[in-house]
Amino acid sequence: MAIHAIAFDAYGTLFDVYSVTELAEKLFPGYGKQLAQLWRRKQIEYTQLRTMCCMYKPFWEVTQDALIFTCRYLGLNLDLDAQNALMGQYARLSAFPENKDVLQVLRDKAYKLAILSNGTPQMLQAVTEHAGMQGLFQHLLSVDAVKVYKTAPEAYQLGPDMFGVPAKNMLFVSSNAWDVCCATWFGYTTFWVNRDHVPLEELGVMPHGTGRTLSDVLHFLETSQ
Amino acid sequence: MAIHAIAFDAYGTLFDVYSVTELAEKLFPGYGKQLAQLWRRKQIEYTQLRTMCCMYKPFWEVTQDALIFTCRYLGLNLDLDAQNALMGQYARLSAFPENKDVLQVLRDKAYKLAILSNGTPQMLQAVTEHAGMQGLFQHLLSVDAVKVYKTAPEAYQLGPDMFGVPAKNMLFVSSNAWDVCCATWFGYTTFWVNRDHVPLEELGVMPHGTGRTLSDVLHFLETSQ
């Protein structure tokens, strides 16, 4: 399988969505982990509901909606200062430690790299700059261009359209099992970074490769070409 | 608002999806509640992913997939006997206690009643018969007819198509906040049976009425006509 370009999911894959936990715990002692987890879950759920119902709204706003719901559900008083602090943290999520080096190696090997994310262009710009990754990607592809979220085919289609190659000649990398399964359905060659050591979703579809960190993508590319 | 017909969601609204908890606890002591909750969550998630990706598969199979994932995730050994027992329980979920009387009153008031559900025709037949409700509904509308799950518009469209009235002249009743919000977006007059006393989803849309049990639908209809 000749891979010409690699598209990375951003949230959960390159950037740690749970790096908000520390601040959440500081703001709401005893609730940090629960807040971070439910926030993430509702964020994804809202993107899916909005996609199915053709009610697109940018990811920044959906992320804020999910935060508001989460705090209400947990009985936490989210004032504007806390909301701004947590949303600000979301714009500066930590990158997983191995990522920058892996991306640099892939660049050195002449792979074309992109992010393909639910995030808005502004969010992707901010989070890659904060991680010092802005020079590593040819493209920051945001579903905002098509106004539907992953896992809709129109969202995945952004990759092949931008690079002018069939999806099977691109590697799509995600830590989100749902994302990697649906990208496989779409037609990408796929790699699942199973950071949380969880079982694969029972969707009747398997990613082409699986590993524990982004570094494992290098081995996959060496052995599968 | 003249309401000519009423469509009820089935799972969670008429039938208690957590009535599998007791059996789950018996089969996997200490895990009953967790199993029932994750099973339900994955079941819904799989319907959404399959809908967005145009990968429809009947609800019975999706429900089984979700059960298999759940047990794998929780580290529980689901043998075929346990699987069949839990799936069998799903075909015979308990109805919430007030439902039958409320449905009978609505029939007596000459409302046309239907179920509009993700469940397959076979599942809806089985669960209504088990609850002794088979005579109360004019139609058991299954999304299997259109091969996409709620909350896709094609699924909600089954109601107006069957009764020949606009969605706004039908009442759609659901205990699932996501379902009732998306049905409101679609155009139904909607009623949320908030059985779990949870906050409404932060989707920027409100059901037309809210109550705590199905009985509250009666009051809503009396005061809103």
Side-chain angles (χ1 to χ4, degrees):
Chain A
M1 185 80 58
I3 298 297
H4 301 299
I6 308 175
F8 296 88
D9 169 59
Y11 297 101
T13 303
L14 297 177
F15 308 105
D16 183 0
V17 292
Y18 298 120
S19 60
V20 298
T21 308
E22 198 180 332
L23 176 61
E25 180 65 28
K26 205 171 137 191
L27 290 167
F28 302 109
Y31 287 92
K33 195 175 169 190
Q34 219 181 334
L35 188 158
Q37 289 183 340
L38 185 57
W39 184 9
R40 171 64 171 163
R41 180 144 71 79
K42 297 310 288 189
Q43 177 200 43
I44 298 170
E45 186 189 342
Y46 288 178
T47 62
Q48 296 172 340
L49 293 172
R50 287 185 169 278
T51 297
M52 280 190 293
C53 295
C54 309
M55 295 295 283
Y56 181 81
K57 185 182 181 181
F59 197 57
W60 182 257
E61 295 172 37
V62 168
T63 300
Q64 190 160 279
D65 291 345
L67 174 60
I68 291 168
F69 174 85
T70 296
C71 289
R72 203 173 287 154
Y73 185 88
L74 296 175
L76 305 173
N77 178 29
L78 181 74
D79 61 25
L80 271 184
D81 283 346
Q83 181 177 312
N84 287 337
L86 284 164
M87 289 299 294
Q89 194 72 14
Y90 217 94
R92 297 182 302 275
L93 292 172
S94 309
F96 290 100
E98 79 278 11
N99 289 5
K100 217 168 144 183
D101 287 348
V102 173
L103 293 168
Q104 190 58 60
V105 171
L106 292 170
R107 278 298 299 251
D108 294 346
K109 287 174 183 286
Y111 286 108
K112 290 175 190 159
L113 308 183
I115 284 177
L116 198 173
S117 167
N118 279 341
T120 62
Q122 294 82 349
M123 290 173 80
L124 297 178
Q125 196 71 40
V127 78
T128 49
E129 275 181 19
H130 179 259
M133 289 181 181
Q134 66 271 45
L136 292 168
F137 298 101
Q138 259 93 344
H139 302 289
L140 303 180
L141 301 174
S142 164
V143 303
D144 195 63
V146 286
K147 312 286 186 214
V148 290
Y149 286 104
K150 292 190 276 185
T151 61
E154 298 89 333
Y156 289 122
Q157 185 63 39
L158 288 167
D161 280 357
M162 182 55 82
F163 288 105
V165 294
K168 72 174 192 295
N169 295 118
M170 287 186 65
L171 184 66
F172 182 82
V173 180
S174 181
S175 294
N176 298 298
W178 53 271
D179 190 16
V180 89
C181 285
C182 295
T184 311
W185 273 337
F186 178 79
Y188 280 103
T189 299
T190 53
F191 192 88
W192 181 32
V193 183
N194 185 6
R195 296 189 185 280
D196 301 326
H197 316 321
V198 292
L200 187 64
E201 298 295 349
E202 195 68 22
L203 289 166
V205 63
M206 292 270 292
H208 300 90
T210 300
R212 310 278 277 247
T213 73
L214 209 69
S215 310
D216 296 323
V217 172
L218 300 174
H219 181 70
F220 174 78
L221 285 168
E222 278 161 24
T223 55
S224 67
Q225 296 278 19
Chain B
M1 183 82 57
I3 298 296
H4 301 300
I6 308 176
F8 296 87
D9 169 59
Y11 296 102
T13 303
L14 297 177
F15 307 105
D16 184 0
V17 292
Y18 298 119
S19 60
V20 297
T21 308
E22 198 180 332
L23 176 61
E25 178 66 27
K26 204 170 139 191
L27 291 167
F28 303 110
Y31 287 93
K33 195 174 168 191
Q34 220 180 334
L35 188 158
Q37 289 183 340
L38 185 58
W39 185 8
R40 171 65 173 162
R41 181 144 72 78
K42 296 311 288 190
Q43 177 199 45
I44 298 170
E45 185 188 341
Y46 287 178
T47 62
Q48 295 171 341
L49 293 173
R50 287 185 171 278
T51 297
M52 280 190 293
C53 295
C54 310
M55 295 296 283
Y56 181 82
K57 184 181 182 181
F59 198 58
W60 181 256
E61 295 172 38
V62 168
T63 300
Q64 189 159 283
D65 291 344
L67 174 61
I68 290 168
F69 174 85
T70 296
C71 289
R72 203 172 288 154
Y73 185 87
L74 296 175
L76 305 173
N77 178 29
L78 182 75
D79 61 25
L80 270 184
D81 283 345
Q83 182 177 312
N84 287 337
L86 284 164
M87 289 299 293
Q89 193 70 14
Y90 217 93
R92 296 182 302 273
L93 293 172
S94 309
F96 290 99
E98 79 280 10
N99 288 4
K100 216 169 147 183
D101 288 348
V102 173
L103 293 168
Q104 190 58 59
V105 171
L106 291 169
R107 279 296 299 250
D108 293 346
K109 286 175 183 285
Y111 286 108
K112 291 175 188 157
L113 309 184
I115 284 177
L116 198 172
S117 168
N118 279 342
T120 61
Q122 295 82 349
M123 289 172 80
L124 297 178
Q125 197 71 40
V127 77
T128 49
E129 275 180 20
H130 180 258
M133 289 180 181
Q134 64 272 44
L136 292 168
F137 298 102
Q138 259 93 344
H139 303 288
L140 303 181
L141 301 174
S142 164
V143 302
D144 195 63
V146 286
K147 311 286 185 212
V148 290
Y149 286 104
K150 293 190 277 184
T151 61
E154 298 89 335
Y156 289 122
Q157 185 62 40
L158 289 167
D161 280 356
M162 182 55 82
F163 288 105
V165 294
K168 71 173 193 293
N169 296 118
M170 287 186 64
L171 184 67
F172 182 81
V173 179
S174 181
S175 294
N176 298 298
W178 54 270
D179 190 16
V180 88
C181 285
C182 294
T184 311
W185 272 337
F186 178 79
Y188 280 103
T189 300
T190 53
F191 191 89
W192 181 31
V193 183
N194 184 7
R195 295 190 186 277
D196 301 325
H197 316 320
V198 292
L200 187 64
E201 298 295 348
E202 194 68 22
L203 290 166
V205 63
M206 294 269 292
H208 299 90
T210 300
R212 311 277 278 245
T213 73
L214 209 70
S215 310
D216 296 322
V217 171
L218 301 174
H219 181 70
F220 174 77
L221 285 167
E222 278 160 23
T223 55
S224 67
Q225 297 276 17

